[in-house]
Every structure is written in structure tokens, then in C-alpha cells.
Amino acid sequence: MADATEPSAYSHRHLLGIEGLSPGEITALLDKSNIFVEQNRAADKKLDSMLGRTVINLFFEGSTRTRTSFELAGKRLSADVINMSVSTSSVGKGETLIDTAMTLNAMHPDVLVVRHGQSGAAQLLSEKMNCAVINAGDGSHEHPTQALLDALTMRRRRGDLAGLRIAICGDIAHSRVARSNILLLVTMGAEVRVVAPLTLLPPGIENLGVEVFHEMKAGLSNCDIVMMLRLQNERMDGNYIPSIREYFHFFGLDYDKLSAAKPDALIMHPGPANRGVEIDSVVADDFSRSVIREQVEMGVAVRMACLDILSANLAAETKRNL
Amino acid sequence: MVAGTWTAAMPDDPLTRTAYVNARLLDPASGLDASGGIITNGESIVDAGPGIDGTGLPKKTEIIDCGGLCLAPGLVDIRVQIREPGEEHKGTIESAGMSATAGGVTTMVCLPNTMPVIQDMSGVEFVARRARKIGLSKIYPYAAATKDLEGAELTEMGLLAEAGAVAFTDGDKVIKDAQVMRRALTYAKTFGLIVIQRPEEPSLARGGVMNSGEMATRLGLTGIPAVAEIIMVERDLRLVEMTGGRLHFSNISTGEAVRAIGAAKARGFDITCDTAPPYFALNEASVGEYRTFAKLSPPLRSEADRLAVVQGLADGTIDCIASDHAPHDEDSKRLPFGEAAFGGVGLETLLPVSLELYHNGHMKLLDLIAKLTSGPADVMRLGAGQLAKGAPADLSLFDPDQGWQVDADELASKAKNSPFDGRPVQGVVRRTVIDGRTVFVRGA
């Protein structure tokens, strides 16, 4: 059971990204998350470790599953959870973001969960707020809780992450999910491959410790995990790919391409999946292979662990400062 | 010159074993320039070399005495505008096929600027199907690099390549947007495909009708500066450096562009280029008194540029020679110079005008033939242009010395707009063989 009195190996105030985290810190977050998985499957799901604490979900970008997942995680730990959705189209960025932060800061939240379209927005808020900040996705930069829930899913299915061969396929260039996953998996000693047309690969990606492929079957060869990324429709306008038809033909996951991976390879997708674009419907719904629904379940546990650890860290810090 | 006769090759024609003997064999791919012969069986070459003299052959072998003339791989022309579909009044696949085979060309790669534009699988298949039905020169299509040749959105390069598109180009249009060119090179590299650019900065060329300079000034015509070509070459070389893409430049016409490409090749860039006979055989003086047949794109340049192109061919900077065949009807050329269409036919003059480089001592015959056969075939990865065992039996038999005068009206091409009309040349094609079948013969 979660014990708030025992200090976690994760001692940071915020969770802004995977970058810079040690294997020990990642393992601590995953171990804690794993405890909450069982808790969430029990009939009585409520704990009181965040009783009296306030969590604000501040979402500048549309989100269903991430926001719901954080909300549920906070409520299961007995925190008071406020959801704020701010349309980026109706407000400017920069100054307005800081104004919003100062306003919220005056309300004394304990944890701020933020999603923003600009890379670095979570970092900026963390510098202005007195509370803990969790990055729920900033631009094309990071989405650490997604990488943690993916890692938890893999770990529960396959044991040790070290030595797993994982192919991350699709729009690597614009994906914060890809960045956080690459950082986490490489740190944990997995063999990470990226598979994409060159237009969807950012320059220097190979320096992050991944092997680059442009052909699905070559990239998926003997993989334990096939992680598909969502192709954003706006990529069609920037000449990244000529058509959905062509993209699916060469890079969409179907059984033929999947046959190159290990026979029991798991299929993952951060959701929501574009069926017939990056993944064939039949493959997405093949629950002998696809762990897409399990990823959602792990998401709640991971977010509970992050909220729990950060609010405990904040409480310990406050106590020290008294 | 004696008129030739054509026999369309049909897939169900009986195939025989044929020996071409008493020939000067020219095979640039193997470096062979020697007396000898070639044996073909069916559609393929089964033997080639100095030892083949017509003796010791199986009984049913047809023997063709080449009379000591040059026997080379059929010419490979990687820049041809056919006009079918859409502008059949200017040129058709059949007209291009007749013109090509009369010029010794056995393989053509055609530009996608037809109506409709070749930019989907059915367009690629149409060209292949029509060429097979007509049974003259082999034709492979390029596909558009951007949709409707508008330079904005990429075409389905991966699927088009699977359907048979050789490479990707906007034809006689330039991909002017640097970001689009960057993405085209990057996306094409994903599949190992080639992008082709005919370099010309459109804003500098806008309104121009001939080369900038004294000639244009005297004639009162708006010029297209040489720098329009150079700027685009230099920009694209930077994009190749950035993307690692595979780029081919067409129709190089200026000395500065030759030098820039030579320097980039020396640095190891994956680039190639071609030029066309007008750019090493003619200069801006050919415009003379508003001769619209000499209105080409890019324009005929200065004598210094012409000499630099000759030098670029001789030193290997320029990989190959293409005809840049651009048929136009009379209505498009019988106009004031400024209003006339750009372009000239070139399939039948490709070999004789190129042979001037040999006759004038700029290049050895074998090196010149390389620019017309193995050179372009290698650039576009066509697997043609060689006399190796097992290669397709695509051959051209020609007399490199026989003189004649180009008469546009006597060209086999439906369109007659040759910039070489009236020019005395040397070099006559006597026989053209495609897949082992003689499709064109011309008597002595």
C-alpha cells in the first residue's frame, strides 16, 4: 500500500519530462504505479493520501483521456480536482499563460497538471508556481505520464524493459509521445527503433540512441513491441506525406507488416487511433495483440502515482521549510 | 538522305537467333571498342565480342553483315516530351516512336507534362500500355513531383514508383518553393527515388524569351539571364546537402552551373546532370533574325557557355545527353518570337549532332556513346544501354561518318520544329533493333 511517510526515490518537485530522470527514479514511479493498478481493480478504489489537497487540471489543448485520467486519479486519492479548459484560440500565449499561472497560484493548489500547445509551457509555469507541476503534454516536446504508462504496460506484460526491442512508428517529428518514450526506453536499456518516412523524422534523431528505419518490415523485424503514433491530419498540408492512401500503404500497420515482428509482439497506440491511416482497424481491435485498452487502464495508475509522490514531496518540502 | 522503313514489333512476332557480324562494337559499359559481332536470341543478347564472325553458328541463325559500321547499344533518351495524351496534334506516342527509332533511340523516358498530367497509377500504366501496343521505342514515364505540376503538394511518389514511374519531375516547370523541394528530396529519399529539376529561378526568367545579353538587346527581346539557372542550381545543391536526397539536373546550359555541379560532385554529393545538343552545338546567335525554332527553354546561351558545356561533357561533369525533344505544331511557332512556344524536336538529330563532339576532337567515340547509352541508363537505373550477355537486345547500327543535311520537313517526327534545320551533320542510323526485333532500317 502507498505509504506517504516513506520518501520516494523520485524526489523532484515537478514532473516536466522524462529527460534527465535516472533509471532508479523511473523505476520508483513505475513501482508505485503498479501498486495502484491492483487498487483500481478492487471494489473500493478510494484512498485518502491526498485528502485536503487541490489538483488543477489546466488544459489549453483538447484532451479526453488524459484529462479524465488525471481527474480520476486525483479523485481516487481524495484530492479536490478542478478542471480548467482554456481554448488557445481565444487567448494569446506567453504573457497570458503567466497571468493565468499567477491567478491560479493565488488559489494555493498543490498540483497543477498542464497541457499546452507550445513546447516549454510546463517548464515556464513551473518557474512561476509554488505548487508541483505535472506536464500532461507540451507541444512536440514531452508527455512523461504517457511514456510511464506505456512502460508500465510493457513491464507488466514482458518483465524487464532492458533488452526489449521496440519499434516506434509514424510521425516522430511532431510527437511528444515519441520523445518521452524514446528517452524513457533508452534510459531503461531497451533497443529502440523509429520507423517513418524521412519527412516525419526530425534531424538528429539518431543521436537520441535510436536506430532509424524507413521501411516497416525492416524496422519491425523481430520486435517485442510495435508502438504506432497518431498521424495528425494537419501533416497533410505541410507536404510531409502526399496522401493517406500512400501513408497507409507504406507505413500503416496491417497484419502483413506486423508479420515481421515477433509472433507475440504487442501493439500499442497512445490513442485516439486513426483507423485506416496509421493502423488497420482489424489490427487495432485484435486484443490478442493490441494492448491499447490496457494502456488506458495503466494511465490512471501512473497518474495516481505521480500525484501521490509529488504531493508527498511538496508536503515534505513544506515541513522542512517550517 | 535515304528514307527509312519501320516495322512495329509485336509481342507475338516469332523471335529468331540473329548474328550481327563485321561490326565495330561500341560498348561503353565494358569499355569495348573493337571489331566483332553480337548474337541475339529472342529478346536478349546472348554473346558479344571480337570473336564473333559468323562462323560456327547454329543453322537457323540469321546473319546480318554490318559492313564495318558502328554497332552500339540503342540510345537511351531521358528527356522526351511526347504530347500524348492531350496534345496529339503536336505529337503522339507513335510519332515519337518513329522519330526515336529513326534516330537510333530504343528507350525514351517521357516527361509528365501531358494532359492530364502523369501523376497517378493509371497515367503511368497508360503510357506503358500504349508504348507496348505501338511496338516502336520503349517508353518509361516520369511522374509529376507535385500535384498538377503546381509546385505545392507532393504526389504519391511511393505508389507511383511501384507502378513504374522512373523518377519525379515537374517537367519543364521548376519546383520553385524551397520548402517543397526540401520535402520532395527528403520524401523521395525515403524510397530511394530520384527528383529531377530543370533549374531556372522563375522570377528572373519571367517574361524572358532568349538569353540576356547583347543579342537580346539588339533584337529588342526580353532576356533570361544565365544567373537564373545558376541561382537555382546553387540553391538546390544546398538542399541536397541538407537532405541527402538524390537530385538530377536537366538541360544544363551555363558554364557557371557546370562549375557548381562539378564542385558539388567533387564533395561527394549524390547528384547527376544532363544537357541537350542545342546547348553544346548552338549558341544565342542561332536566334538570328527571330528564328522561332531556336527559341528554347533554357534559352541558347553565349559562346562561352556553349564551350563550358562541351568541356563539362568531356571532363565527365555532365553525365549524359538527352534530346529534350519538345514537339510543337506550326501554329505554335509561326508567331512573333516573343509569342512563339519554347522547345524543339530532337530525337532524330540527337546522334548526329552529338557526333560533332567526336568529329571535332572533343571526345573519343566510345566516351561520347557512353553519354547517350550507359550514362543515362545508369543515372535513371534503367538496366539498358549495354551489350552485356543477358541484356535486352536493344541495338543501334550507324555510320558515324556519312554526311547529310538536316531538313525539318523530312523528319519522321510529326512536328518539324528542329533548331538544327538546314545544318550539315555526320552520322546516319541504318538499323534499330528493340528486344531482338528490327524495327527500323535505312538503306545506304
Side-chain angles (χ1 to χ4, degrees):
Chain A
M1 196 45 255
D3 183 353
T5 58
E6 188 186 318
S8 168
Y10 186 91
S11 58
H12 303 278
R13 184 180 202 182
H14 309 292
L15 177 62
L16 300 176
I18 299 297
E19 182 148 40
L21 298 190
S22 68
E25 288 169 332
I26 291 166
T27 302
L29 290 168
L30 294 178
D31 288 348
K32 185 83 162 181
S33 304
N34 203 37
I35 295 167
F36 288 121
V37 175
E38 303 313 320
Q39 174 73 27
N40 285 332
R41 286 179 181 174
D44 186 0
K45 301 174 178 65
K46 197 95 168 176
L47 296 167
D48 60 2
S49 61
M50 287 188 77
L51 193 64
R53 307 290 165 77
T54 304
V55 175
I56 298 180
N57 282 333
L58 178 60
F59 277 65
F60 291 90
E61 268 188 347
S63 162
T64 307
R65 65 186 72 200
T66 305
R67 192 188 52 72
T68 310
S69 180
F70 269 108
E71 182 177 355
L72 201 53
K75 286 181 170 166
R76 288 206 175 145
L77 295 171
S78 302
D80 297 314
V81 182
I82 309 294
N83 289 317
M84 285 187 65
S85 292
V86 188
S87 160
T88 35
S89 59
S90 64
V91 294
K93 292 157 193 147
E95 287 176 336
T96 311
L97 179 62
I98 291 170
D99 288 347
T100 308
M102 298 320 290
T103 306
L104 294 175
N105 201 38
M107 300 177 189
H108 300 292
D110 298 281
V111 184
L112 178 72
V113 176
V114 64
R115 167 169 289 189
H116 198 280
Q118 293 292 324
S119 302
Q123 166 80 35
L124 181 62
L125 282 172
S126 75
E127 292 162 7
K128 303 289 170 192
M129 303 286 289
N130 296 326
C131 65
V133 174
I134 296 179
N135 181 6
D138 64 326
S140 304
H141 177 226
E142 283 229 44
H143 190 356
T145 56
Q146 178 72 42
L148 288 164
L149 73 87
D150 288 338
L152 183 63
T153 309
M154 290 181 217
R155 206 177 77 163
R156 287 172 60 92
R157 286 284 194 145
R158 287 288 181 271
D160 202 354
L161 295 174
L164 286 182
R165 181 181 280 186
I166 299 154
I168 304 177
C169 313
D171 187 0
I172 311 290
H174 305 92
S175 172
R176 53 197 176 208
V177 174
R179 274 172 186 69
S180 288
N181 262 302
I182 289 167
L183 291 165
L184 188 150
L185 294 167
V186 169
T187 301
M188 299 307 285
E191 180 192 335
V192 183
R193 300 168 153 202
V194 293
V195 192
L198 276 158
T199 40
L200 294 178
L201 284 168
I205 186 75
E206 59 282 356
N207 296 337
L208 299 187
V210 300
E211 202 180 343
V212 176
F213 292 85
H214 313 311
E215 208 257 303
M216 281 290 274
K217 279 192 169 177
L220 264 50
S221 168
N222 219 22
C223 278
D224 299 283
I225 312 279
V226 180
M227 186 184 292
M228 302 306 297
L229 298 174
R230 179 177 164 80
L231 184 80
Q232 318 267 330
N233 287 332
E234 52 267 35
R235 298 303 161 235
M236 236 59 68
D237 305 331
N239 266 321
Y240 295 96
I241 56 163
S243 71
I244 284 170
R245 173 172 67 164
E246 172 144 326
Y247 186 78
F248 184 75
H249 181 79
F250 291 103
F251 296 99
L253 186 66
D254 54 20
Y255 279 120
D256 179 47
K257 297 182 189 102
L258 185 60
S259 68
K262 282 187 181 167
D264 61 347
L266 300 179
I267 300 159
M268 302 181 72
H269 192 297
N274 288 310
R275 292 161 183 268
V277 180
E278 70 262 356
I279 189 163
D280 192 343
S281 248
V282 189
V283 176
D285 293 337
D286 178 354
F287 293 110
S288 69
R289 312 292 296 275
S290 164
V291 292
I292 294 174
R293 291 195 299 205
E294 200 169 312
Q295 289 171 269
V296 178
E297 184 193 357
M298 295 305 120
V300 179
V302 159
R303 279 142 193 156
M304 287 171 77
C306 294
L307 289 170
D308 193 62
I309 290 172
L310 292 188
S311 72
N313 288 353
L314 191 71
E317 189 186 317
T318 312
K319 202 187 271 179
R320 278 198 304 276
N321 293 341
L322 280 175
Chain B
M1 188 170 53
V2 180
T5 53
W6 289 266
T7 315
M10 288 299 134
D12 49 357
D13 286 353
L15 282 160
T16 52
R17 178 180 279 266
T18 308
Y20 301 86
V21 300
N22 187 24
R24 178 180 176 185
L25 295 182
L26 293 166
D27 182 29
S30 65
L32 177 73
D33 179 356
S35 298
I38 293 174
I39 301 171
T40 67
N41 190 15
E43 298 185 350
S44 306
I45 294 171
V46 292
D47 205 359
I52 296 163
D53 56 6
T55 60
L57 294 166
K59 269 189 178 171
K60 281 188 174 171
T61 306
E62 183 188 1
I63 295 178
I64 293 169
D65 187 333
C66 297
L69 299 180
C70 292
L71 186 58
L75 307 195
V76 177
D77 187 349
I78 60 166
R79 193 172 177 86
V80 178
Q81 299 185 60
I82 288 182
R83 309 291 189 216
E84 179 180 344
E87 292 183 287
E88 286 84 351
H89 60 292
K90 292 186 172 184
T92 60
I93 288 174
E94 183 169 27
S95 161
M98 290 175 72
S99 192
T101 49
V105 174
T106 55
T107 298
M108 294 188 272
V109 192
C110 62
L111 297 188
N113 57 341
T114 45
M115 292 187 284
V117 171
I118 299 173
Q119 59 186 354
D120 52 28
M121 280 66 92
S122 57
V124 170
E125 282 158 13
F126 169 83
V127 173
R129 190 173 66 245
R130 285 281 292 151
R132 260 200 317 278
K133 189 167 175 226
I134 286 163
L136 292 167
S137 175
K138 292 176 181 174
I139 304 180
Y140 301 101
Y142 295 123
T146 69
K147 285 168 194 161
D148 300 323
L149 311 174
E150 284 176 350
E153 290 174 65
L154 299 186
T155 55
E156 294 168 316
M157 292 184 182
L159 294 170
L160 284 160
E162 283 192 348
V166 169
F168 297 85
T169 176
D170 280 357
D172 57 355
K173 284 183 144 182
V174 185
I175 302 170
K176 67 178 176 191
D177 185 296
Q179 182 73 293
V180 173
M181 188 60 164
R182 172 198 180 184
R183 296 257 194 267
L185 287 165
T186 305
Y187 191 75
K189 190 185 178 212
T190 305
F191 303 97
L193 303 174
I194 306 166
V195 176
I196 301 169
Q197 173 88 297
R198 196 218 53 166
E200 182 173 83
E201 169 49 50
S203 58
L204 288 172
R206 191 178 303 134
V209 296
M210 72 170 292
N211 190 41
S212 273
E214 185 190 331
M215 276 288 295
T217 300
R218 286 182 185 279
L219 292 168
L221 294 172
T222 308
I224 299 172
V227 81
E229 177 171 306
I230 299 154
I231 281 181
M232 196 54 81
V233 165
E234 291 183 336
R235 182 203 78 172
D236 285 348
L237 288 174
R238 294 285 175 192
L239 293 174
V240 168
E241 183 174 20
M242 174 178 159
T243 61
R246 171 76 179 84
L247 179 64
H248 176 83
F249 288 116
S250 269
N251 277 354
I252 290 302
S253 71
T254 64
E256 280 300 316
V258 173
R259 279 183 281 278
I261 290 165
K265 281 186 164 190
R267 288 178 61 196
F269 286 24
D270 196 3
I271 50 166
T272 49
C273 69
D274 68 61
T275 190
Y279 306 110
F280 59 76
L282 303 174
N283 64 28
E284 59 192 339
S286 294
V287 172
E289 307 214 319
Y290 306 99
R291 284 183 65 231
T292 59
F293 279 11
K295 182 176 177 182
L296 305 177
S297 178
L300 294 170
R301 301 289 187 186
S302 71
E303 178 63 5
D305 284 319
R306 184 189 75 82
L307 291 171
V309 171
V310 171
Q311 179 59 34
L313 282 164
D315 69 21
T317 305
I318 299 175
D319 300 89
C320 47
I321 301 170
S323 73
D324 195 32
H325 185 76
H328 284 293
D329 56 2
E330 287 194 7
D331 290 344
S332 304
K333 284 290 192 179
R334 275 192 186 161
L335 290 167
F337 194 88
E339 294 170 10
F342 287 98
V345 293
L347 283 164
E348 287 159 85
T349 48
L350 175 63
L351 179 64
V353 175
S354 296
L355 281 168
E356 292 178 8
L357 295 167
Y358 156 64
H359 291 300
N360 294 341
H362 296 295
M363 296 177 76
K364 288 193 289 188
L365 184 57
L366 193 64
D367 295 339
L368 175 70
I369 295 304
K371 302 289 184 195
L372 298 163
T373 56
S374 56
D378 289 350
V379 164
M380 293 302 160
R381 307 164 185 160
L382 296 171
Q386 51 179 322
L387 299 181
K389 284 181 197 175
D394 297 344
L395 309 171
S396 76
L397 177 68
F398 62 91
D399 179 341
D401 298 317
Q402 187 185 339
W404 57 289
Q405 186 173 20
V406 178
D407 180 346
D409 290 335
E410 288 187 8
L411 295 177
S413 166
K414 182 179 170 102
K416 310 297 183 190
N417 54 308
S418 168
F420 299 106
D421 189 21
R423 188 178 185 90
V425 292
Q426 281 176 275
V428 172
V429 174
R430 290 287 178 72
R431 178 184 289 266
T432 303
V433 178
I434 293 174
D435 284 340
R437 301 179 179 94
T438 293
V439 294
F440 175 79
V441 284
R442 180 186 274 131

